[in-house]
Amino acid sequence: MFNPLKKLFGNTFVGSLEASVIGIDIGTSSIKIIQMKRKAGKAFLETYGSLELGPYAGLDIGAITNLPAETIAQALTDVIRESGATTKTGALAMPSASSLLFLIELPAGLDEKTLPSVVPIEARKYIPVPITEVTLDYMVIPKDPHALMHREEASNTPGAPLPPPPKTDILIVAVHNDTIERFTTVAQKAAIETEFFEIEAFSSIRSSFGREKGTVLLVDMGASKTKLSVVEDGTIRSFHVVNRGGFDITSLIANALAIPFIKAEEMKRTYGITGAGDPKVLEIVQASIEYILSEIRIVAETYERRNATTLTKVIFTGGGATMKGFDAFARSAFGEKTEIVLATPFAKTEAPAFLEPVLRSTGPLFSVAVGVALRKLEL
């Protein structure tokens, strides 16, 4: 069976590094794509686009869908055509919420040659289905240099107790084989030439992070779920899913005001959380966002307490982060001690200056597509 995760944690590119590539993000309510080209060591934005999937299921814009692979492939073909993309060489990102991301600890000093046999055995303890039904990939997390330095200093100090050697931390990703087969079918039906798939959390980190240090929380606010990745030194240390997203907010508005879903979606997108428009809509949106933010704070505080660390920054991405007034509301919810920013993935691309305002405002929506394209370009 084709294993598109075998190079999950490394770059791969076949062909000219200056060829155009396409990054594809298939969500539950829309597809986002971006085409870019590498030139002089930089990524040049060529085109981008998004397409709502609701109409392909006979549903409204903003609705959550569960389309067959063939229909998704048709929608992908449509957005490629409508955006003016000129290549079908690229890579697809798979939903983090459809995967398992977790850490395991193995004994210190373990020979890395034994990992291919040891990791699957340990991973079985965390995977709720037979190990034969999933595809695994893993990476060894670099040891904390401060801990190594402390141990080295202790070893050179007579009489000082020697701390135990640090254990080997392994980040594991498990994806159900059915999910891989589904995305493989989509790629084949849409004639996408790709050598790998990538879990969307890794794509978002690549496009949204600069030189962040310390403990950073990446929050991807999607249509059906909100995904939380605690990241240290560029590596995911903890992953959580909040089962609430933009679709739920729209549904609450529609039910409260007894209006069609499409009208509620329009009101949400028009007014967001700015205080304009219908006061009832504002109340619903604020309550919904506050619930999500409270869940985020619980995850952050729990991680801080268990790991004796302090969260320095929260980066918001995904469609939910583009709601009007969201960034100011999030800052008020977290307080001054934590830096709150919206992802700016297009900042890692070269684009015409006149596009800067729209790229900044829509950036969070395209974090995954930009990130997987950057990996394809080895940038």
Side-chain angles (χ1 to χ4, degrees), residues 183-216:
F183 275 77
T184 300
T185 300
V186 169
Q188 291 173 344
K189 295 290 185 181
I192 302 297
E193 300 176 16
T194 183
E195 294 84 34
F196 68 91
F197 297 152
E198 181 170 67
I199 306 302
E200 62 181 355
F202 298 101
S203 302
S204 289
I205 290 171
R206 186 179 299 106
S207 67
S208 303
F209 279 53
R211 298 184 179 182
E212 278 76 14
K213 296 186 180 298
T215 305
V216 179

Side-chain angles (χ1 to χ4, degrees), residues 104-126:
I104 63 172
E105 281 189 346
L106 296 179
L110 190 69
D111 186 351
E112 289 197 14
K113 294 181 180 179
T114 66
L115 292 181
S117 59
V118 172
V119 168
I121 295 174
E122 292 298 313
R124 289 176 184 172
K125 303 174 183 178
Y126 303 86

Side-chain angles (χ1 to χ4, degrees), residues 84-247:
T86 57
T87 183
K88 287 197 171 182
T89 298
L92 288 79
M94 295 190 298
S96 300
S98 298
S99 314
L100 281 177
L101 285 79
F102 55 93
L103 286 174
I104 63 172
E105 281 189 346
L106 296 179
L110 190 69
D111 186 351
E112 289 197 14
K113 294 181 180 179
T114 66
L115 292 181
S117 59
V118 172
V119 168
I121 295 174
E122 292 298 313
R124 289 176 184 172
K125 303 174 183 178
Y126 303 86
I127 299 174
V129 297
I131 197 73
T132 55
E133 295 183 9
V134 301
T135 296
L136 290 178
D137 200 4
Y138 64 89
M139 71 171 290
V140 178
I141 296 179
K143 292 180 173 59
D144 183 353
H146 298 291
L148 294 175
M149 185 181 301
H150 178 64
R151 193 169 192 273
E152 178 68 21
E153 291 174 349
S155 66
N156 294 326
T157 303
L162 184 64
K167 293 185 177 181
T168 302
D169 290 332
I170 308 291
L171 175 62
I172 297 180
V173 173
V175 183
H176 203 285
N177 291 336
D178 288 347
T179 300
I180 293 176
E181 290 174 3
R182 183 166 180 257
F183 275 77
T184 300
T185 300
V186 169
Q188 291 173 344
K189 295 290 185 181
I192 302 297
E193 300 176 16
T194 183
E195 294 84 34
F196 68 91
F197 297 152
E198 181 170 67
I199 306 302
E200 62 181 355
F202 298 101
S203 302
S204 289
I205 290 171
R206 186 179 299 106
S207 67
S208 303
F209 279 53
R211 298 184 179 182
E212 278 76 14
K213 296 186 180 298
T215 305
V216 179
L217 181 60
L218 177 68
V219 180
D220 184 351
M221 302 182 66
S224 59
K225 302 178 187 298
T226 298
K227 287 84 67 179
L228 315 178
S229 302
V230 181
V231 181
E232 291 185 0
D233 299 321
T235 301
I236 295 177
R237 296 282 181 167
S238 182
F239 180 79
H240 303 267
V241 175
V242 178
N243 291 312
R244 190 74 65 90
F247 171 81

